[in-house]
Amino acid sequence: MTRLPAKEATAWLTRQGLPSSRAERTPEGAGGAGLTVTHRRYVKYGDTHYGGGLVDGAYVLGLFGDVATEACVRTDGDEGLFASYFDVQFRAPVLAGDVIEASCTVTAVGRRSRQMSFEARVVCRADPSRGSSAAVVLEPPVVAGTAAGTVVVP
């Protein structure tokens, strides 16, 4: 398979009209509640951890941390620190060659804490049966993982 460097993958996403990052606020959001942040990333072959090009679950948790960091910067002007994850569920495999989208939504705001929900979706997947660089857009995307978590900010 042809490996696509991250910089080229981001350019490809842009050409396809698929942003590599975006943030949206729902109208009812107050103090950050309702803010949704989404990142998209190409899963490199170097990110695999298991046979068959399988990526470990920690990769998805790292993406959740990235979107949580941006949400905290947008709401509080600080990166924040993760206090805990709960209800982590890995629902489908993430493979090398996938384009994965990770989103977090701020669901509750305390004085120093932020509750967030997370979802990771595979939006594109390599299709080697059609050629070494072939891929398909998954409609609908495959939900690869979900979680909830608490972040604290100063």
Side-chain angles (χ1 to χ4, degrees):
M1 284 190 182
T2 303
R3 294 182 185 181
L4 192 60
K7 193 174 194 179
E8 290 180 31
T10 299
W12 180 85
L13 288 169
T14 302
R15 286 194 306 274
Q16 302 302 312
L18 303 171
S20 59
S21 177
R22 69 177 183 267
E24 300 168 352
R25 184 176 306 277
T26 57
E28 68 277 0
L35 174 72
T36 298
V37 174
T38 302
H39 293 184
R40 282 190 175 163
R41 185 172 303 160
Y42 176 77
V43 180
K44 303 182 306 273
Y45 285 81
D47 292 329
T48 61
H49 189 74
Y50 299 105
L54 184 63
V55 175
D56 61 2
Y59 183 87
V60 173
L61 292 178
L63 295 176
F64 290 167
D66 290 346
V67 291
T69 297
E70 182 179 342
C72 287
V73 168
R74 289 182 176 279
T75 59
D76 298 285
D78 189 273
E79 293 179 346
L81 295 170
F82 245 106
S84 67
Y85 282 110
F86 50 95
D87 196 25
V88 176
Q89 297 184 23
F90 300 108
R91 298 178 175 201
V94 176
L95 305 170
D98 285 351
V99 175
I100 190 167
E101 177 179 84
S103 296
C104 86
T105 300
V106 178
T107 57
V109 177
R111 189 174 62 81
R112 292 186 51 226
S113 65
R114 310 292 176 258
Q115 299 288 320
M116 298 179 181
S117 63
F118 301 92
E119 185 173 82
R121 296 169 294 279
V122 178
V123 295
C124 300
R125 177 154 282 165
D127 186 4
S129 68
R130 296 185 318 128
S132 63
S133 62
V136 295
V137 175
L138 302 179
E139 285 294 339
V142 174
V143 176
T146 59
T150 302
V151 178
V152 294
V153 293

